[in-house]
């Protein structure tokens, strides 16, 4: 993956035909938003999605929804900190864009969540009980921002499709756990994707500002996120074991990435 990062997007000087489809996912997501909202399907679609846990159990969706948490995403990036430094640069720029997008809409609109409107007996809540700041979904924004970065960092069509599929499952898990309406997810995913595309473009434009000392700071932040994941309460205690596993694997990957250059230097 790392070599593909260097060979594809980051070496490009301008948008090419390969990148013109970058706006297709958000266009489709916004179109779906219009259909769901103006077609009056928001509540019925929420009930359908929210009922999926009856067939699979709660743990599957609690585990999937974790991958939309920003702390988890930063932790997952850690193993690539040394192998693909510009990927990390893009992730942090994207995080700033996505945070501005989310905070502006969430606190500007303050749309009530399903649990604040629907009768308690009519829906199933997995994990924490949330009632405010529904629009857009932060988890959907986060996972689709990461998906955009990954999709433009690899050339294999199968990996791109798998990435989009996983991002979709994570995003709509927010409806299954009872935290968001479908329109929250659709608009959050669209904003997240555009944040990722913008982050990649700015990372390319500002490549000259990416210094070694800055990379060390960003790497230290990623290590801090991985350690924090052990203790953070993300709202789903039934899958805290998954948090610990992800933190351990990422810390191991990050440590190996740091040790390898030292070994190479000692062997010279």
């Amino acid at each position: 993956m790392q070599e593909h990062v260097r060979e594809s997007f980051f070496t490009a000087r301008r948008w090419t035909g390969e990148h013109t489809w970058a706006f297709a996912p958000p266009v489709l997501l916004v179109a779906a938003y219009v259909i769901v909202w103006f077609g009056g399907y928001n509540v019925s679609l929420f009930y359908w999605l929210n009922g999926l846990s009856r067939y699979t159990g709660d743990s599957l969706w609690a585990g999937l929804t974790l991958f939309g948490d920003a702390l988890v995403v930063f932790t997952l990036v850690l193993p690539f900190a040394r192998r693909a430094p510009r990927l990390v640069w893009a992730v942090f720029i994207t995080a700033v864009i996505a945070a501005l997008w989310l905070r502006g809409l969430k606190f500007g609109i303050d749309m009530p969540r399903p649990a604040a409107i629907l009768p308690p007996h009519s829906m199933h809540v997995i994990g924490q009980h949330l009632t405010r700041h529904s629009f857009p979904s932060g988890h959907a924004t986060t996972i689709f921002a990461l998906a955009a970065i990954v999709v433009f960092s690899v050339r294999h069509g199968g990996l791109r499709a798998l990435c989009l599929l996983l991002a979709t499952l994570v995003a709509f898990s927010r409806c299954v756990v009872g935290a968001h309406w479908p329109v929250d997810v659709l608009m959050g995913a669209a904003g997240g994707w555009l944040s990722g595309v913008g982050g990649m473009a700015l990372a390319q434009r500002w490549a000259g500002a990416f210094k070694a000392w800055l990379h060390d700071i960003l790497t230290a932040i990623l290590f801090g996120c991985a350690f924090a994941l052990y203790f953070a309460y993300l709202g789903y205690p039934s899958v805290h074991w998954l948090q610990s596993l992800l933190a351990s694997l990422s810390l191991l990957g990050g440590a190996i990435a740091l040790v390898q250059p030292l070994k190479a230097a000692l062997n010279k």
Side-chain angles (χ1 to χ4, degrees), residues 115-165:
I117 296 178
L118 302 177
H121 65 272
S122 69
M123 59 176 291
H124 180 55
V125 176
I126 302 172
Q128 57 189 149
H129 190 276
L130 302 171
T131 58
R132 298 185 62 190
H133 306 307
S134 185
F135 183 87
S137 167
H139 283 62
T141 298
T142 301
I143 194 61
F144 265 82
L146 178 64
I149 293 173
V150 173
V151 164
F152 284 106
S153 300
V154 298
R155 290 180 173 178
H156 193 284
L159 290 178
R160 287 177 169 177
L162 179 61
C163 178
L164 286 172
L165 174 61

Side-chain angles (χ1 to χ4, degrees), residues 144-239:
F144 265 82
L146 178 64
I149 293 173
V150 173
V151 164
F152 284 106
S153 300
V154 298
R155 290 180 173 178
H156 193 284
L159 290 178
R160 287 177 169 177
L162 179 61
C163 178
L164 286 172
L165 174 61
L166 291 175
T168 301
L169 288 174
V170 171
F172 280 101
S173 72
R174 301 306 289 161
C175 296
V176 183
V177 302
H180 280 286
W181 302 102
V183 290
D184 303 338
V185 171
L186 291 169
M187 192 56 67
W193 183 273
L194 290 175
S195 297
V197 171
M200 293 287 281
L202 289 176
Q204 171 186 291
R205 180 181 293 271
W206 297 341
F210 191 62
K211 309 299 183 181
W213 62 267
L214 178 57
H215 179 257
D216 291 337
I217 292 175
L218 298 184
T219 301
I221 292 173
L222 294 178
F223 269 104
C225 290
F227 279 113
L229 190 58
Y230 280 116
F231 311 102
Y233 175 70
L234 302 184
Y236 305 93
S238 64
V239 290

Side-chain angles (χ1 to χ4, degrees), residues 15 18-32 144 151-152 164 186 189-190 193-194 197:
W15 288 95
E18 181 185 357
H19 304 131
T20 54
W21 66 275
F23 299 102
V27 168
L28 292 175
L29 288 165
V30 171
F144 265 82
V151 164
F152 284 106
L164 286 172
L186 291 169
W193 183 273
L194 290 175
V197 171

